[in-house]
Amino acid sequence: MENDVFKQWTMGGRGQTDRGSIVPTNAGFIQDMGGRVTRYPLRRSEKTEPGKFRDVQLGERWMDAMSVDYSCLFPTGMLNIGMHPQKEMEVDLCWAYNRWVTEKVLPESGGRMYSMLCLPFSDPAACVRQVETFGGRPGVTGFMVTTVRHLQVNDNSYMRLYSAMQERGLSLAFHSGPNWNEPCSVPATASCRCTPLASHSTIPAPDQLGHQRHG
């Protein structure tokens, strides 16, 4: 490759997978700053002790190194779940992920890790079921809506969901995700690259807002 920057990005993307390819799916992945942040390719080489969940040990390790007492887990691995063409699959994957987090990860963290669970936002009724099932479990502070969706977040079909979360004092967060294939509506003379930056937007429950004001 003639462009040294693109070459570095591509080589870094190949390092994200166990098996390299000519055109890696992560080519252009620059969250690791072109390879300067080594936690992505080197995480698998970190050693952990048997008898405790690996991800919990790794999380506690960086928390201790930075003097962090508590950490809130975002459903990073589910950020693109909203792009799945089958909403039934989205619902089931979110259910499995939320069970895994609340039944395996959080109990082993000793109260140091909390989580905002993933919502299958393509199915409003399924969202309500997951809030009712997982919303009261220890360590659950709220839920997160990931990636781009087809329904507007103020659609009436979501009002029951929002009401269920408000009744339980749970927070609601939104997290965008990159979609390289998303069309852009710009003048033909303008260049366009659809690489939305990941962002967070959290809406605390009313009682949490009160605590923030007096904190």
Side-chain angles (χ1 to χ4, degrees):
M1 299 179 71
E2 294 181 327
N3 188 304
D4 290 338
V5 175
F6 288 166
K7 180 179 179 180
Q8 175 66 23
W9 287 358
T10 303
M11 295 302 294
R14 293 184 67 182
Q16 305 297 318
T17 60
D18 294 324
R19 183 179 182 181
S21 61
I22 299 297
V23 183
T25 56
N26 287 321
F29 177 85
I30 58 174
Q31 191 170 346
D32 63 349
M33 299 298 293
R36 291 189 292 273
V37 179
T38 60
R39 68 186 181 97
Y40 293 104
L42 298 183
R43 180 175 291 165
R44 70 187 68 182
S45 66
E46 294 190 50
K47 306 299 181 182
T48 55
E49 299 296 327
K52 191 172 183 178
F53 192 59
R54 172 179 169 82
D55 286 355
V56 172
Q57 294 187 58
L58 295 179
E60 292 176 342
R61 186 175 297 170
W62 74 256
M63 291 167 65
D64 293 339
M66 301 177 66
S67 299
V68 174
D69 294 325
Y70 306 99
S71 178
C72 183
L73 305 177
F74 288 170
T76 304
M78 307 294 283
L79 290 184
N80 290 324
I81 189 64
M83 307 308 297
H84 199 286
Q86 295 175 290
K87 70 176 183 179
E88 295 83 5
M89 179 64 75
E90 177 187 351
V91 170
D92 221 20
L93 287 173
C94 288
W95 182 270
Y97 173 85
N98 293 338
R99 279 196 59 196
W100 173 70
V101 170
T102 57
E103 296 177 8
K104 181 67 176 177
V105 179
L106 298 183
E108 292 196 22
S109 70
R112 294 189 65 189
M113 294 184 183
Y114 296 82
S115 182
M116 302 193 76
L117 302 178
C118 186
L119 281 177
F121 214 57
S122 298
D123 190 331
C127 288
V128 174
R129 177 173 177 250
Q130 302 217 17
V131 169
E132 293 173 345
T133 302
F134 303 110
R137 294 191 177 184
V140 177
T141 64
F143 288 81
M144 178 171 283
V145 178
T146 62
T147 67
V148 182
R149 306 291 173 153
H150 298 294
L151 284 178
Q152 297 182 15
V153 297
N154 63 338
D155 191 273
N156 286 336
S157 60
Y158 292 120
M159 295 304 108
R160 184 183 171 200
L161 166 65
Y162 298 150
S163 177
M165 295 185 65
Q166 185 174 13
E167 291 171 359
R168 292 164 174 80
L170 297 170
S171 298
L172 175 63
F174 296 87
H175 194 306
S176 67
N179 179 16
W180 291 81
N181 297 317
E182 184 73 17
C184 293
S185 299
V186 296
T189 56
S191 61
C192 175
R193 177 175 294 174
C194 297
T195 55
L197 297 177
S199 61
H200 305 85
S201 178
T202 306
I203 305 174
D207 60 331
Q208 294 173 323
L209 286 173
H211 288 309
Q212 288 180 351
R213 283 198 299 268
H214 295 88

